[in-house]
Amino acid sequence: MAQDKLQSYRERYQDYTDHFAEQRKRMLEDLRFSNPADPQQWDDETRNARRNAAGGARPTLTFDHTNQYIMQVVNDARQNKPGIQVLPVDSGADIQTAQSIEGMIRQIEYTSRASIAYDTAIEHAARCGQGWMRVVTEMVNPALNEQDLRIKQVHDPLSVWISPESVEPDGSDASDGFVETIMSIASFEKQYGKRKAQTSWDNRSGGGWESDKTIRVCEHYKLRTSKSNRLQVQ
């Protein structure tokens, strides 16, 4: 059974890789082009050709005109902080309950320093058209298994995949997704124990999952639905 599940994950991951190959290539180009530290506005082939041109190297000048517009979008978002609002919209809801829930969400945002996650997602969206944040649980009392919700930033916009069948701009109709994290071997062993990496995955998915110093951890999330029969009397 475990091998069957692993095989299905391999096939699904390959579906993602094939579907998003061109999009992710363009996103990477956008990130390199607008890199504020070192804008890469010349592709490698052209740059090497100019460096090795007959008669001496030819200049490859870079004029960064993109970051001023990107930062304008990001700074506008920082001045007008996004937030989560809870609105009572049906007959079974009331204002007091909505305010109580919104207060709990505000506490989660404050504890999580969610503004960092919001700003990071907005900047990535401005740079390459896609930004992410995660809502995860964090252990606060291991003895009682008490966990709190936290809103976390995603440093790499290319580390998150959602189902290719999703068409909604916010991904709300996604049925599954992958989240990848590059970890050092020491961090991996500290979190997961000294487990043997699944090297057989490399033969099916193109490699790059483990090196001498790092290992790539991939989480898979899937939406599960169920049916039930109900009798409603009015």
Side-chain angles (χ1 to χ4, degrees), residues 2 24 34 36 40-41 54 73 79 85 131 153 184 209 216 226:
R24 293 171 71 84
S34 65
Q40 300 292 324
Q41 299 183 358
V73 172
Q79 292 178 359
Q85 290 185 324
Q153 64 176 320
S184 66
W209 288 89
R216 180 155 43 125
S226 60

Side-chain angles (χ1 to χ4, degrees), residues 24-38:
R24 293 171 71 84
K25 176 183 176 182
R26 294 183 180 276
M27 288 173 62
L28 184 58
E29 290 175 352
D30 290 342
L31 290 171
R32 294 180 60 189
F33 192 91
S34 65
N35 182 357
D38 182 22

Side-chain angles (χ1 to χ4, degrees), residues 131-166:
W132 306 95
M133 66 187 75
R134 300 187 69 184
V135 180
V136 299
T137 57
E138 186 175 276
M139 186 68 66
V140 294
N141 189 342
L144 299 177
N145 194 31
E146 292 181 356
Q147 303 178 52
D148 284 346
L149 292 176
R150 294 287 185 266
I151 300 173
K152 298 291 187 179
Q153 64 176 320
V154 175
H155 297 278
D156 182 4
L158 298 176
S159 65
V160 179
W161 314 61
I162 60 173
S163 54
E165 298 82 11
S166 173

Side-chain angles (χ1 to χ4, degrees), residues 26-37 64 66-68 70-71 73-74 120-131 157:
R26 294 183 180 276
M27 288 173 62
L28 184 58
E29 290 175 352
D30 290 342
L31 290 171
R32 294 180 60 189
F33 192 91
S34 65
N35 182 357
D64 184 12
T66 59
N67 274 287
Q68 57 179 322
I70 292 173
M71 294 315 299
V73 172
V74 176
T120 302
I122 291 170
E123 181 174 351
H124 288 161
R127 291 192 182 279
C128 65
Q130 189 168 270

Side-chain angles (χ1 to χ4, degrees), residues 200-219:
S200 62
W201 184 280
D202 292 345
N203 299 329
R204 309 276 185 117
S205 58
W209 288 89
E210 185 180 10
S211 68
D212 294 337
K213 297 181 179 180
T214 63
I215 188 169
R216 180 155 43 125
V217 177
C218 188
E219 305 168 63

Side-chain angles (χ1 to χ4, degrees), residues 6 12 150 156-157 159 172 180 211 229:
L6 184 60
R12 186 57 173 163
R150 294 287 185 266
D156 182 4
S159 65
S172 57
E180 297 178 339
S211 68
N229 295 323

